[in-house]
Amino acid sequence: MKNTALTSTHESLGAKMVPFAGYNMPVSYEGVNAEHETVRNGVGVFDVSHMGEFLISGPTALALIQKVTSNDASKLTIGRAQYSCLPNENGGIVDDLIVYRIKEEQYLLVVNASNIEKDWSHISSYNAEFKADMRDISEGYSLLAIQGPKAVEAMQSLTSVNLSDIKFYHFEVSDFAGIENVIISATGYTGSGGFEIYCKNEEVKQIWDKIFEAGANFGIKPIGLAARDTLRLEMGYCLYGNDINDTTSPFEAGLGWITKFTKDFVNSEALQKEKQQGPERKLVAFELDERGIPRQGYDIVDGNGKTIGEVTSGTMSPSIGTGIGLGYVPPIFSEIGSKINIQIRKNAIPATIVKLPFYKSK
């Protein structure tokens, strides 16, 4: 089990620690609902240092990224980031990721912790042709997510950058909490604003301490991975391993918007055909019409009790007080307002297909 540079800090704060993607991670501190509420209404800090970071550099860096990712990275200017995915050769997704353009010929790819080795191997196999400089810097870097509507105001004293000027999916490389060359990025996963801090492992404790000093008057709290999951689900953001995987296509998952046919990329021909013909199933969002909590793996059934799909993510929404979830169903059941049922033990609980996000910020 790997530790992050802050594992002992989380333990001293009384965090409940669990194994996650090979790391010892804080799942909660004071409870999911309280932590969820802190991020929706104030400011909270996640240690997400388990995420992977690859540095791709050199004159062929962009060409390699264009080949292995679905989105069009040529649109990126320095200081901008882009959500994308790595398609596999069979129509599925190796991983979803964020691509940052750091310099003219240098990009940072941020990948899911559980997929670091798989992603590295996949990208490397295509780099045999491009020979870009690839470095896996995951082990040496930490990542903190400072999230919530009070994040900018609470953290402004720690940097010379005007935080309110950093637009969504933009970033700055600047000073933060007394450390130089920190990436300050507005690429949150909660839907409540804020930003992420990328720094070296040896710098993260100083940054963590200063964040909590600066945020003390704003009620800042540490937040665990359980609340990160409920927050992202209320926004309808996909989680790799739940809602997308090696067998789900971008079009099934509603990720057509990050699949650009302005270039040739891995399996692009087959994906273009799928776009034209339409996918055989679609990822939908649903709310339960009655009390109940949908969970990953529960069957989705039609009015006759026939199984038509499966829940990929589900929870009791802390913000709206209703059971919510995502799951795959045939296109005929995917229209907004369509009725389905979720099989919760012996009961088929009625549910309605809704438009994302579940949670709308005030």
Side-chain angles (χ1 to χ4, degrees), residues 14-35:
K16 182 184 175 187
M17 307 295 287
V18 298
F20 184 82
Y23 282 82
N24 191 19
M25 297 297 290
V27 69
S28 66
Y29 297 84
E30 60 171 328
V32 180
N33 287 359
E35 291 169 38

mmCIF file of all heavy atoms in Angstrom, residues 14-35:
data_model
loop_
_atom_site.group_PDB
_atom_site.id
_atom_site.type_symbol
_atom_site.label_atom_id
_atom_site.label_comp_id
_atom_site.label_asym_id
_atom_site.label_seq_id
_atom_site.Cartn_x
_atom_site.Cartn_y
_atom_site.Cartn_z
ATOM 1 N N GLY A 14 -7.536 12.352 12.347
ATOM 2 C CA GLY A 14 -8.596 11.390 12.656
ATOM 3 C C GLY A 14 -9.335 10.873 11.440
ATOM 4 O O GLY A 14 -10.461 10.372 11.550
ATOM 5 N N ALA A 15 -8.720 10.975 10.256
ATOM 6 C CA ALA A 15 -9.379 10.495 9.034
ATOM 7 C C ALA A 15 -9.561 8.985 9.073
ATOM 8 O O ALA A 15 -8.718 8.256 9.597
ATOM 9 C CB ALA A 15 -8.552 10.877 7.812
ATOM 10 N N LYS A 16 -10.662 8.539 8.506
ATOM 11 C CA LYS A 16 -10.843 7.106 8.292
ATOM 12 C C LYS A 16 -10.091 6.773 7.008
ATOM 13 O O LYS A 16 -10.400 7.309 5.942
ATOM 14 C CB LYS A 16 -12.336 6.778 8.146
ATOM 15 C CG LYS A 16 -12.606 5.287 7.957
ATOM 16 C CD LYS A 16 -14.085 5.022 7.712
ATOM 17 C CE LYS A 16 -14.297 3.540 7.408
ATOM 18 N NZ LYS A 16 -15.680 3.268 6.992
ATOM 19 N N MET A 17 -9.069 5.919 7.096
ATOM 20 C CA MET A 17 -8.220 5.599 5.955
ATOM 21 C C MET A 17 -8.647 4.274 5.322
ATOM 22 O O MET A 17 -8.969 3.324 6.033
ATOM 23 C CB MET A 17 -6.755 5.517 6.387
ATOM 24 C CG MET A 17 -6.244 6.748 7.135
ATOM 25 S SD MET A 17 -6.199 8.272 6.146
ATOM 26 C CE MET A 17 -4.793 7.952 5.072
ATOM 27 N N VAL A 18 -8.654 4.245 3.995
ATOM 28 C CA VAL A 18 -9.016 3.005 3.277
ATOM 29 C C VAL A 18 -8.062 2.803 2.100
ATOM 30 O O VAL A 18 -7.489 3.763 1.588
ATOM 31 C CB VAL A 18 -10.470 3.051 2.735
ATOM 32 C CG1 VAL A 18 -11.481 3.179 3.848
ATOM 33 C CG2 VAL A 18 -10.638 4.179 1.711
ATOM 34 N N PRO A 19 -7.895 1.554 1.645
ATOM 35 C CA PRO A 19 -7.106 1.330 0.433
ATOM 36 C C PRO A 19 -7.891 1.814 -0.784
ATOM 37 O O PRO A 19 -9.075 1.506 -0.924
ATOM 38 C CB PRO A 19 -6.939 -0.204 0.386
ATOM 39 C CG PRO A 19 -7.458 -0.724 1.684
ATOM 40 C CD PRO A 19 -8.385 0.292 2.225
ATOM 41 N N PHE A 20 -7.250 2.590 -1.630
ATOM 42 C CA PHE A 20 -7.905 3.082 -2.851
ATOM 43 C C PHE A 20 -6.859 3.181 -3.953
ATOM 44 O O PHE A 20 -5.883 3.913 -3.820
ATOM 45 C CB PHE A 20 -8.571 4.443 -2.617
ATOM 46 C CG PHE A 20 -9.351 4.954 -3.803
ATOM 47 C CD1 PHE A 20 -10.647 4.515 -4.043
ATOM 48 C CD2 PHE A 20 -8.774 5.842 -4.699
ATOM 49 C CE1 PHE A 20 -11.356 4.964 -5.150
ATOM 50 C CE2 PHE A 20 -9.474 6.297 -5.812
ATOM 51 C CZ PHE A 20 -10.771 5.856 -6.033
ATOM 52 N N ALA A 21 -7.054 2.429 -5.031
ATOM 53 C CA ALA A 21 -6.137 2.432 -6.184
ATOM 54 C C ALA A 21 -4.685 2.206 -5.759
ATOM 55 O O ALA A 21 -3.767 2.813 -6.301
ATOM 56 C CB ALA A 21 -6.265 3.747 -6.958
ATOM 57 N N GLY A 22 -4.514 1.338 -4.755
ATOM 58 C CA GLY A 22 -3.163 1.004 -4.308
ATOM 59 C C GLY A 22 -2.573 1.977 -3.304
ATOM 60 O O GLY A 22 -1.436 1.838 -2.870
ATOM 61 N N TYR A 23 -3.371 2.991 -2.914
ATOM 62 C CA TYR A 23 -2.916 3.998 -1.955
ATOM 63 C C TYR A 23 -3.733 3.935 -0.667
ATOM 64 O O TYR A 23 -4.893 3.539 -0.674
ATOM 65 C CB TYR A 23 -3.050 5.409 -2.552
ATOM 66 C CG TYR A 23 -1.961 5.774 -3.520
ATOM 67 C CD1 TYR A 23 -2.016 5.359 -4.846
ATOM 68 C CD2 TYR A 23 -0.862 6.526 -3.121
ATOM 69 C CE1 TYR A 23 -1.009 5.677 -5.754
ATOM 70 C CE2 TYR A 23 0.149 6.860 -4.016
ATOM 71 C CZ TYR A 23 0.071 6.429 -5.324
ATOM 72 O OH TYR A 23 1.060 6.742 -6.217
ATOM 73 N N ASN A 24 -3.116 4.377 0.412
ATOM 74 C CA ASN A 24 -3.779 4.524 1.699
ATOM 75 C C ASN A 24 -4.391 5.924 1.711
ATOM 76 O O ASN A 24 -3.665 6.913 1.809
ATOM 77 C CB ASN A 24 -2.707 4.365 2.791
ATOM 78 C CG ASN A 24 -3.303 4.233 4.172
ATOM 79 O OD1 ASN A 24 -4.470 3.912 4.319
ATOM 80 N ND2 ASN A 24 -2.501 4.485 5.183
ATOM 81 N N MET A 25 -5.717 6.028 1.556
ATOM 82 C CA MET A 25 -6.337 7.340 1.335
ATOM 83 C C MET A 25 -7.413 7.661 2.377
ATOM 84 O O MET A 25 -8.080 6.763 2.893
ATOM 85 C CB MET A 25 -6.993 7.376 -0.054
ATOM 86 C CG MET A 25 -6.024 7.219 -1.211
ATOM 87 S SD MET A 25 -4.801 8.547 -1.330
ATOM 88 C CE MET A 25 -5.829 9.925 -1.843
ATOM 89 N N PRO A 26 -7.611 8.966 2.674
ATOM 90 C CA PRO A 26 -8.672 9.367 3.613
ATOM 91 C C PRO A 26 -10.049 9.314 2.933
ATOM 92 O O PRO A 26 -10.279 10.015 1.956
ATOM 93 C CB PRO A 26 -8.297 10.812 3.975
ATOM 94 C CG PRO A 26 -7.517 11.314 2.804
ATOM 95 C CD PRO A 26 -6.839 10.122 2.180
ATOM 96 N N VAL A 27 -10.935 8.462 3.435
ATOM 97 C CA VAL A 27 -12.269 8.363 2.827
ATOM 98 C C VAL A 27 -13.236 9.351 3.478
ATOM 99 O O VAL A 27 -14.139 9.868 2.828
ATOM 100 C CB VAL A 27 -12.806 6.916 2.877
ATOM 101 C CG1 VAL A 27 -13.143 6.470 4.275
ATOM 102 C CG2 VAL A 27 -13.997 6.733 1.946
ATOM 103 N N SER A 28 -13.032 9.636 4.782
ATOM 104 C CA SER A 28 -13.877 10.636 5.453
ATOM 105 C C SER A 28 -13.213 11.092 6.744
ATOM 106 O O SER A 28 -12.350 10.407 7.297
ATOM 107 C CB SER A 28 -15.270 10.086 5.741
ATOM 108 O OG SER A 28 -15.193 9.032 6.680
ATOM 109 N N TYR A 29 -13.644 12.245 7.234
ATOM 110 C CA TYR A 29 -13.149 12.820 8.495
ATOM 111 C C TYR A 29 -14.286 12.912 9.503
ATOM 112 O O TYR A 29 -14.265 12.280 10.538
ATOM 113 C CB TYR A 29 -12.537 14.206 8.259
ATOM 114 C CG TYR A 29 -11.322 14.206 7.369
ATOM 115 C CD1 TYR A 29 -11.458 14.222 5.975
ATOM 116 C CD2 TYR A 29 -10.029 14.185 7.894
ATOM 117 C CE1 TYR A 29 -10.350 14.217 5.144
ATOM 118 C CE2 TYR A 29 -8.913 14.186 7.075
ATOM 119 C CZ TYR A 29 -9.084 14.197 5.697
ATOM 120 O OH TYR A 29 -7.983 14.185 4.873
ATOM 121 N N GLU A 30 -15.297 13.724 9.171
ATOM 122 C CA GLU A 30 -16.421 13.879 10.109
ATOM 123 C C GLU A 30 -17.712 13.273 9.572
ATOM 124 O O GLU A 30 -18.743 13.291 10.245
ATOM 125 C CB GLU A 30 -16.634 15.360 10.471
ATOM 126 C CG GLU A 30 -16.946 16.257 9.287
ATOM 127 C CD GLU A 30 -17.352 17.659 9.698
ATOM 128 O OE1 GLU A 30 -17.970 17.814 10.765
ATOM 129 O OE2 GLU A 30 -17.025 18.595 8.936
ATOM 130 N N GLY A 31 -17.673 12.726 8.365
ATOM 131 C CA GLY A 31 -18.880 12.136 7.773
ATOM 132 C C GLY A 31 -19.155 12.719 6.406
ATOM 133 O O GLY A 31 -18.939 13.912 6.168
ATOM 134 N N VAL A 32 -19.652 11.892 5.510
ATOM 135 C CA VAL A 32 -19.835 12.284 4.104
ATOM 136 C C VAL A 32 -20.750 13.496 3.948
ATOM 137 O O VAL A 32 -20.413 14.450 3.251
ATOM 138 C CB VAL A 32 -20.425 11.102 3.280
ATOM 139 C CG1 VAL A 32 -20.620 11.506 1.829
ATOM 140 C CG2 VAL A 32 -19.530 9.894 3.370
ATOM 141 N N ASN A 33 -21.913 13.475 4.592
ATOM 142 C CA ASN A 33 -22.882 14.559 4.386
ATOM 143 C C ASN A 33 -22.350 15.904 4.853
ATOM 144 O O ASN A 33 -22.517 16.923 4.175
ATOM 145 C CB ASN A 33 -24.210 14.237 5.075
ATOM 146 C CG ASN A 33 -24.987 13.157 4.334
ATOM 147 O OD1 ASN A 33 -24.539 12.659 3.303
ATOM 148 N ND2 ASN A 33 -26.134 12.774 4.863
ATOM 149 N N ALA A 34 -21.692 15.914 6.016
ATOM 150 C CA ALA A 34 -21.127 17.171 6.553
ATOM 151 C C ALA A 34 -20.025 17.694 5.639
ATOM 152 O O ALA A 34 -19.944 18.903 5.358
ATOM 153 C CB ALA A 34 -20.588 16.948 7.961
ATOM 154 N N GLU A 35 -19.182 16.793 5.138
ATOM 155 C CA GLU A 35 -18.085 17.199 4.262
ATOM 156 C C GLU A 35 -18.612 17.678 2.904
ATOM 157 O O GLU A 35 -18.121 18.662 2.341
ATOM 158 C CB GLU A 35 -17.097 16.039 4.090
ATOM 159 C CG GLU A 35 -16.329 15.736 5.378
ATOM 160 C CD GLU A 35 -15.543 14.423 5.324
ATOM 161 O OE1 GLU A 35 -14.984 14.107 4.266
ATOM 162 O OE2 GLU A 35 -15.497 13.722 6.354
#
